[in-house]
Amino acid sequence: MILPIIHYGHPVLQQKGAEIHKVTDSIRQLASDMIETMYASKGIGLAAQQIGKALQLTVLDVRGADRPSQLFVGAREMSLDIMMPLMLLNPKITKQEGEEMGPEGCLSFPEIYTDIPCASTIHVSSTDLNEEPIQFIATGLLSRAVQHEIDHLNGILFIDRMISSARKTLEPDLLELKAQTLSELKKHHKKASRGV
Ligand code: ZN
């Protein structure tokens, strides 16, 4: 099922996600719906906050992207076709190396793109949908995407990572988007309180 994506201005985007200790059928269904939603939106990653749930769950798939990625398990480079889509529960960055600037966008900020600094290489420790631990090293676009998604799971948005001049330039667009989201939320609340 394709789920509606929450836009900037909704408070759930700034909530830290609760850790998931038991993978229930509803978590499995949620992960599968998130993957469907990510593909339908042509995104390369989606965090649970973006569909309105403050949980430590994110899905990623960088195969269709125009920038390269590498994923290593131990010393071995893995084929992205084997590893994607990635479903990560309670992921943490245990080590990071290097820094780079690159263009970034977010499904919760339609049509807003800017250069964002991020670590070049990250070591990630996570759990998969079988409650098994998974550890990997990511470089390139995957490294950037995983950092972006882990930020979401902690209530941090890419606008919090922008350099101040970029943030200033985008401020009018951000204010407009926030106002639009809040007015839609208000409409929704009014409807809900009337019981329709
Ligand atoms: Zn995002």
Side-chain angles (χ1 to χ4, degrees):
M1 189 169 69
I2 296 172
L3 306 166
I5 293 181
I6 303 284
H7 287 167
Y8 174 58
H10 193 300
V12 72
L13 289 179
Q14 271 148 328
Q15 276 175 35
K16 187 176 163 67
E19 287 205 0
I20 300 171
H21 296 294
K22 183 102 196 88
V23 177
T24 57
D25 284 345
S26 69
I27 294 288
R28 258 180 231 111
Q29 184 61 48
L30 184 64
S32 149
D33 289 344
M34 282 170 62
I35 288 172
E36 203 180 330
T37 305
M38 170 180 72
Y39 289 149
S41 321
K42 303 208 178 340
I44 58 168
L46 189 69
Q49 276 80 350
Q50 294 179 278
I51 46 94
K53 309 241 185 239
L55 288 171
Q56 295 279 327
L57 170 65
T58 179
V59 299
L60 297 116
D61 193 334
V62 294
R63 282 175 296 178
D66 56 357
R67 282 179 276 167
S69 294
Q70 283 177 302
L71 192 160
F72 298 87
V73 174
R76 181 155 161 212
E77 184 175 358
M78 304 297 291
S79 149
L80 294 180
D81 281 327
I82 291 174
M83 302 301 289
M84 303 282 148
L86 264 182
M87 286 164 266
L88 304 176
L89 281 77
N90 318 319
K92 304 250 176 325
I93 294 170
T94 56
K95 191 176 162 190
Q96 60 184 62
E97 290 156 346
E99 201 190 63
E100 59 187 51
M101 284 290 276
E104 208 169 300
C106 177
L107 293 175
S108 296
F109 294 78
E111 289 161 50
I112 293 178
Y113 300 90
T114 190
D115 281 358
I116 306 272
C118 78
S120 310
T121 302
I122 52 168
H123 296 234
V124 181
S125 179
S126 180
T127 306
D128 69 12
L129 267 194
N130 300 315
E131 295 180 7
E132 299 286 340
I134 162 172
Q135 267 141 15
F136 63 91
I137 298 167
T139 72
L141 185 61
L142 180 62
S143 169
R144 176 175 292 281
V146 171
Q147 289 172 72
H148 181 111
E149 299 313 327
I150 292 180
D151 272 350
H152 270 304
L153 302 185
N154 289 301
I156 299 165
L157 299 171
F158 83 143
I159 54 170
D160 303 324
R161 302 278 187 198
M162 279 177 197
I163 55 169
S164 59
S165 59
R167 171 88 193 231
K168 241 181 225 155
T169 310
L170 287 172
E171 204 56 39
D173 294 332
L174 295 172
L175 285 171
E176 206 169 73
L177 176 60
K178 193 174 191 174
Q180 200 184 331
T181 304
L182 288 174
S183 99
E184 275 162 25
L185 265 179
K186 243 185 236 160
K187 260 190 252 163
H188 189 76
H189 277 304
K190 263 191 204 149
K191 263 191 205 160
S193 60
R194 284 204 303 264
V196 288

